[in-house]
C-alpha cells in the first residue's frame, strides 16, 4: 500500500521551529532540557528570527528548513562543542538538537555557526 503526506503537513513541523526559535546554542554534550541547552552545557549562543530559516523541498524527498549561518558569535565558555540546539525562550522549550563536528572553543573568541538543514522525508 502506498503512503503519502502533503507538504503542508511536513511544513507544519518545520514551522514550529521557524516561528518559535529565538536562540541557537552550541553545547558540550547533548542537552535534554531547555536549561541544559541554554545554560548548563552552552558554550555560545546566537539570537535567531524567522528570517534565519528557509523552507524548501528536501534534498531527497519531503521538506527541509535551512538554518542560516551566524558568524562573529562570541564564545562565552571554553569547552568542546559537540551539539547544536534550537531554543524557544518564550516558553522555555528545547525545540531541536543535532550533533556537530567536535571542536574546542575558547572563551572570548569568535565562532561561526555554519548553515545546516533539518529535513523530514516523505513516508516510504
Amino acid at each position: 500500500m502506498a503512503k503519502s503526506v502533503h507538504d503542508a503537513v511536513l511544513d507544519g513541523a518545520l514551522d514550529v521551529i521557524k516561528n518559535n526559535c529565538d536562540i541557537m546554542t552550541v553545547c558540550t554534550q547533548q542537552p535534554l532540557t531547555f536549561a541544559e541547552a541554554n545554560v548548563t552545557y552552552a558554550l555560545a549562543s546566537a539570537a535567531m528570527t524567522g528570517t534565519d530559516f528557509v523552507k524548501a523541498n528536501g534534498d531527497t524527498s519531503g521538506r527541509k528548513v535551512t538554518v542560516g549561518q551566524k558568524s562573529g558569535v562570541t564564545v562565552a565558555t571554553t569547552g568542546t562543542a559537540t551539539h547544536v540546539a534550537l531554543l524557544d525562550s518564550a516558553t522555555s522549550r528545547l525545540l531541536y538538537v543535532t550533533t556537530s563536528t567536535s571542536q574546542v572553543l575558547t572563551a572570548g573568541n569568535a565562532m561561526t555557526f555554519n548553515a545546516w538543514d533539518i529535513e523530514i522525508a516523505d513516508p516510504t
Side-chain angles (χ1 to χ4, degrees):
M1 176 178 270
K3 300 175 187 175
S4 68
V5 64
H6 193 277
D7 284 349
V9 174
L10 302 179
D11 282 351
L14 298 173
D15 282 341
V16 171
I17 294 169
K18 180 180 183 195
N19 296 336
N20 295 286
C21 176
D22 60 349
I23 302 171
M24 178 167 52
T25 63
V26 63
C27 300
T28 59
Q29 65 186 63
Q30 179 184 355
L32 301 176
T33 66
F34 174 86
E36 288 178 349
N38 196 39
V39 179
T40 309
Y41 305 138
L43 299 175
S45 64
M48 304 292 286
T49 68
T51 61
D52 291 313
F53 301 91
V54 177
K55 290 186 302 184
N57 286 325
D59 292 335
T60 56
S61 73
R63 299 287 288 163
K64 71 178 179 180
V65 66
T66 299
V67 181
Q69 177 178 303
K70 292 287 190 173
S71 58
V73 177
T74 302
V75 177
T77 305
T78 298
T80 302
T82 62
H83 289 77
V84 174
L86 300 177
L87 311 175
D88 173 3
S89 66
T91 60
S92 299
R93 288 188 296 176
L94 175 59
L95 297 173
Y96 193 87
V97 177
T98 190
T99 56
S100 66
T101 302
S102 181
Q103 182 177 0
V104 175
L105 301 177
T106 303
N109 287 350
M111 63 156 292
T112 297
F113 286 96
N114 292 322
W116 55 285
D117 295 335
I118 299 169
E119 188 164 340
I120 303 174
D122 287 331
T124 57

